[in-house]
Amino acid sequence: MDFQIGHKIKELRTFFNISQSELSKGICTQALISQIESGETLPSAEILYHISTRLGTDMNFFFTITETPSQDYARLVLEDLDNAVRHTKYEEVLSIVKVEKKNPLFQQHPQLQQTLLWREAICTFHLHLDLDKALMLIDQALDLRETTNKNLSVEEMKILNSKAILLSQSKQTKEANRIIDRLLEDIKTSPLLKNPRIAINICYNGSKISVLQGKITEAIKRAEQGIKLCLKHEELYLLGELFYQNGQSLYLKSDENGTASIKLMEDALWIFDRTENKPFYDLVEEEINHISEKIKKAP
C-alpha cells in the first residue's frame, strides 16, 4: 500500500473544506482520520472505500490497485451503458438496467445504483416522454449521494447536468440555470475532473439554457468557454455544436448584419463536414442560408 494515502486524503479533504469530523461521520472516529492523515496508520480497505466515496472519488485516486473480477464486471457494464446511450440505443439501455438492478453487486454499491437510475431516467424521457418520472429517477439517484454538501463526485456532476437539461425541457429554466451555475463553478477547480468532455458538455448545455431564459450575453460567454476548453484539450467533441450555438446566440443578441454569426456557423459547418455529421451539417447550412436571405432583404 502507498504510505502517501493519508497525505492525499488530507489534501483532498482540505481542498473541499471538509472537516475531519464531517469526513469521519458514519465511517470511523475523527481520531482515526487524524491518524491516517498523519501517516500513523493505514485505513482498512472498507474504510478507505467509504472515505473515497465521501470525497467524491474512488480508491484508485489514492493508489493503483488491481481490479477484482467484480470491479472489472461493473466497469464493463458501465461502459456498455455509456456506449448505448451515446448511440441512442435506449431500449438496450433499459434492458441492461433491468438486469443489473437485480445484481447483488449493484445493489450493494450506492454509486452503481446511482448510475443505473440516471441512465433509466434519460431513457424514460427519450422513449416515453415521461418528464415527471425522469426527474423523479434523477432525484432518486442524487439522494444516493455519499459526498457532503461541499463537494460533488464526477458522476454527480454528470447527473446534475442531465437534471438541468430535463428541467429546461419542463420550462423550469431558473432552477436549471442555478444548477449550471454551480457546475460551472465546480469545474473551474475540481481536482477530480480529469475528462474535459464533462466540462465541455456543461458549457454547451448551459449556453442553451441561457438562451431559453433570454440571457443571450450569458449564453455567448458559456459557449465561448466551451470552445476554449475544446481548443485547449484538442477536443472535437461538441466543438461544432458550440460554434453553432455561439453564432446563433450572437445573432440573437445584436449581430444585425450577420457577418460574425455566419463566420462562427461556417466554422461549425467545416467541423460537421469533416466529421461526417450530416444532420447537423444540414441544420447549420439551412440557418446560414436563412440569415443570408435576411441580410439581402434588409434595407
Side-chain angles (χ1 to χ4, degrees), residues 120-227:
E120 185 180 358
I122 291 171
C123 296
T124 297
F125 174 71
H126 286 290
L127 286 175
H128 309 300
L129 302 179
D130 192 338
L131 189 56
D132 290 338
K133 185 178 179 181
L135 284 168
M136 180 191 72
L137 290 166
I138 286 280
D139 285 337
Q140 286 178 7
L142 291 170
D143 285 342
L144 290 171
R145 66 178 295 187
E146 295 184 275
T147 50
T148 73
N149 61 358
K150 296 178 181 177
N151 67 312
L152 293 169
S153 68
V154 172
E155 198 76 352
E156 285 160 2
M157 289 183 188
K158 294 178 183 177
I159 296 171
L160 280 169
N161 187 39
S162 292
K163 183 175 183 178
I165 296 168
L166 291 175
L167 287 169
S168 70
Q169 294 287 337
S170 64
K171 312 301 180 187
Q172 299 179 59
T173 53
K174 186 175 181 181
E175 176 63 13
N177 210 41
R178 185 192 66 77
I179 291 172
I180 292 294
D181 277 338
R182 177 180 181 181
L183 292 173
L184 288 173
E185 281 301 310
D186 283 2
I187 63 176
K188 288 178 184 176
T189 56
S190 176
L192 306 177
L193 204 59
K194 307 300 181 185
N195 186 348
R197 291 190 171 194
I198 299 166
I200 291 165
N201 202 323
I202 291 169
C203 290
Y204 175 57
N205 290 323
S207 180
K208 288 167 56 175
I209 289 168
S210 295
V211 168
L212 291 175
Q213 280 200 298
K215 297 181 177 180
I216 308 304
T217 300
E218 181 180 77
I220 293 169
K221 181 180 177 182
R222 288 174 172 178
E224 288 176 344
Q225 184 179 349
I227 290 168

Side-chain angles (χ1 to χ4, degrees), residues 18-265:
I18 297 171
S19 67
Q20 289 184 339
S21 177
E22 288 174 311
L23 181 58
S24 65
K25 188 176 180 180
I27 298 174
C28 60
T29 64
Q30 181 269 326
L32 181 58
I33 295 292
S34 179
Q35 291 169 0
I36 292 169
E37 290 186 349
S38 66
E40 295 176 39
T41 188
L42 285 171
S44 66
E46 181 180 1
I47 286 176
L48 184 59
Y49 167 77
H50 290 297
I51 287 173
S52 62
T53 299
R54 181 149 297 162
L55 290 172
T57 185
D58 57 39
M59 292 194 291
N60 289 316
F61 182 85
F62 302 106
F63 53 84
T64 302
I65 58 173
T66 302
E67 288 182 328
T68 65
S70 63
Q71 288 172 323
D72 189 51
Y73 175 79
R75 178 179 59 78
L76 290 173
V77 169
L78 297 183
E79 286 178 359
D80 285 345
L81 284 172
D82 284 344
N83 186 58
V85 169
R86 191 160 50 248
H87 291 89
T88 66
K89 296 178 179 179
Y90 300 124
E91 294 283 5
E92 182 181 323
V93 173
L94 286 179
S95 296
I96 296 172
V97 168
K98 185 177 180 180
V99 170
E100 298 307 335
K101 272 188 171 182
K102 300 175 184 177
N103 186 337
L105 172 64
F106 279 76
Q107 291 174 349
Q108 292 166 11
H109 295 281
Q111 286 176 307
L112 296 177
Q113 293 177 48
Q114 216 179 33
T115 300
L116 293 181
L117 286 165
W118 170 38
R119 294 314 196 184
E120 185 180 358
I122 291 171
C123 296
T124 297
F125 174 71
H126 286 290
L127 286 175
H128 309 300
L129 302 179
D130 192 338
L131 189 56
D132 290 338
K133 185 178 179 181
L135 284 168
M136 180 191 72
L137 290 166
I138 286 280
D139 285 337
Q140 286 178 7
L142 291 170
D143 285 342
L144 290 171
R145 66 178 295 187
E146 295 184 275
T147 50
T148 73
N149 61 358
K150 296 178 181 177
N151 67 312
L152 293 169
S153 68
V154 172
E155 198 76 352
E156 285 160 2
M157 289 183 188
K158 294 178 183 177
I159 296 171
L160 280 169
N161 187 39
S162 292
K163 183 175 183 178
I165 296 168
L166 291 175
L167 287 169
S168 70
Q169 294 287 337
S170 64
K171 312 301 180 187
Q172 299 179 59
T173 53
K174 186 175 181 181
E175 176 63 13
N177 210 41
R178 185 192 66 77
I179 291 172
I180 292 294
D181 277 338
R182 177 180 181 181
L183 292 173
L184 288 173
E185 281 301 310
D186 283 2
I187 63 176
K188 288 178 184 176
T189 56
S190 176
L192 306 177
L193 204 59
K194 307 300 181 185
N195 186 348
R197 291 190 171 194
I198 299 166
I200 291 165
N201 202 323
I202 291 169
C203 290
Y204 175 57
N205 290 323
S207 180
K208 288 167 56 175
I209 289 168
S210 295
V211 168
L212 291 175
Q213 280 200 298
K215 297 181 177 180
I216 308 304
T217 300
E218 181 180 77
I220 293 169
K221 181 180 177 182
R222 288 174 172 178
E224 288 176 344
Q225 184 179 349
I227 290 168
K228 287 178 182 176
L229 282 167
C230 287
L231 297 177
K232 177 182 177 182
H233 296 282
E234 299 181 348
E235 274 282 358
L236 272 178
Y237 174 72
L238 289 181
L239 182 57
E241 288 88 341
L242 283 161
F243 273 126
Y244 172 69
Q245 179 69 21
N246 200 10
Q248 189 183 51
S249 301
L250 187 60
Y251 186 70
L252 287 172
K253 182 183 179 185
S254 61
D255 190 26
E256 295 179 358
N257 64 13
T259 306
S261 299
I262 287 176
K263 172 63 174 69
L264 286 163
M265 290 185 185

Side-chain angles (χ1 to χ4, degrees), residues 280-298:
F280 270 93
Y281 183 94
D282 292 344
L283 173 70
V284 176
E285 187 176 46
E286 183 179 342
E287 184 71 9
I288 290 173
N289 291 336
H290 174 70
I291 294 173
S292 299
E293 284 298 317
K294 288 186 72 173
I295 293 170
K296 288 177 184 176
K297 293 177 181 178

